[in-house]
Amino acid sequence: MSETDGGAPGGTPASGGAGAEGVDLHTDRAHGARIYDYILGGKDHYAADRAAGDATLQVWPSLRIHMQANRSFMHRVARYLAADKGIRQFLDIGTGIPTSPNFHEVAQAIAPESRVVYVDNDPIVLAHARALLTSTPEGRTAYIQADMREPETIITAPELLETLDLSRPVGLSLIAMVHFIEDDDEAYRVVRRIVDVLPSGSYFAAAIATDDFAPEVLARVQEVYHSHGETLRWRTLAQAERFFEGLELEEPGVVQIHKWRPDHVDVGRVDDADIAMYGGIAYKP
C-alpha cells in the first residue's frame, strides 16, 4: 500500500503509457503512488489506479483518513527535525508524486538554507521531478531515481554527495516505505545500510505499516492490493521497533502516526482503527 508521500520501490511493470519527457509511466497496472494520489484527490492517476483505490475503499472506507494522517505525519517530521532539532539537510526516500507542501517546503519555511535530496523509483515521480526542485535560493534540492532495495545506488549517487555533507547530521525520512519489502531480513538490512552511512547526530524517521488495530479488514485490504499487483507487508509493533535498533527513540517512541506529537487541533479526532501505520523518530548517537 503506498501511503507514502510516495511510491513503491517495487518491480518494473511490463508495459504502459508515456508521460512527461517520454517517461514510461506503466499505466496498464496500478501503482501505489498513483493510488495515493487518487485517494487524496490528485490528478496523476489512471484507470488501473482508480480501480485499485475504489476496491480498497469498499473494504476499508477509512483509507482516505489513514492516508491524510500519513501525510500529516510527514509534515510534522519535517517541522520537528528542522525546528526542534536544528537539522538542515535531509534525505527523503519514497518521495512520491509532488504535492505542496513537499518536504523541502516545510523544512525551508523554517530554515531557508535547508538541503533536501529526494529518492524514488516511480516513473511518474521522475516525470514531475521539477516540482521537487523549487528550492529557496539559500538552500538546495536534488532528485535521485533509485530503488531503496539497492541502497548503494543511493548512498553513492553524485546528486546526494554533491548536495549533502555526510560529515554533518542528516535527517533520514522513510515514510510508509518498508511495507513494499515483504522479506523482513531484506527490509532491516536496507534500512540499516542507509542509517549506517549517517554521521553521529543524525535522525531517522519512519512510518511502518501495521494491521495491529484492524486485522480482519486489513487482511482484505492486503488481498486487494495483491490482486492489483501491489506489495503490502504488515508488521507488528515489535517488528516496527526493530527498525530503530541501536538508535535513541524520541518521545513518545514508536506509536500510531496520528499519536506522534499530533497538532493540538487533531488530538482525539482520529479513531485508532482508522490508522494502519506506526511512526517514530530516533537519534543516532
Side-chain angles (χ1 to χ4, degrees), residues 24-133:
D24 191 348
L25 301 182
H26 308 304
T27 60
D28 60 317
R29 56 157 283 179
H31 196 290
R34 296 194 300 257
I35 298 171
Y36 182 84
D37 182 74
Y38 170 59
I39 295 299
L40 293 183
K43 299 179 290 184
D44 295 296
H45 46 76
Y46 300 90
D49 311 303
R50 294 189 288 273
D54 289 340
T56 306
L57 283 169
Q58 285 186 342
V59 300
W60 192 39
S62 300
L63 177 63
R64 184 170 285 110
I65 295 171
H66 166 84
M67 289 185 170
Q68 290 169 340
N70 182 72
R71 185 158 184 84
S72 176
F73 175 67
M74 182 274 288
H75 291 156
R76 296 199 306 280
V77 165
R79 291 202 307 266
Y80 179 76
L81 292 180
D84 292 31
K85 297 302 176 181
I87 299 297
R88 297 294 180 261
Q89 46 181 10
F90 302 87
L91 175 58
D92 179 46
I93 300 177
T95 302
I97 297 168
T99 304
S100 187
N102 292 297
F103 197 105
H104 74 280
E105 294 171 310
V106 177
Q108 290 181 344
I110 296 164
E113 71 273 24
S114 295
R115 293 178 167 230
V116 179
V117 173
Y118 290 111
V119 181
D120 208 299
N121 85 325
D122 183 355
I124 201 170
V125 182
L126 176 63
H128 294 279
R130 283 198 185 94
L132 299 170
L133 304 178

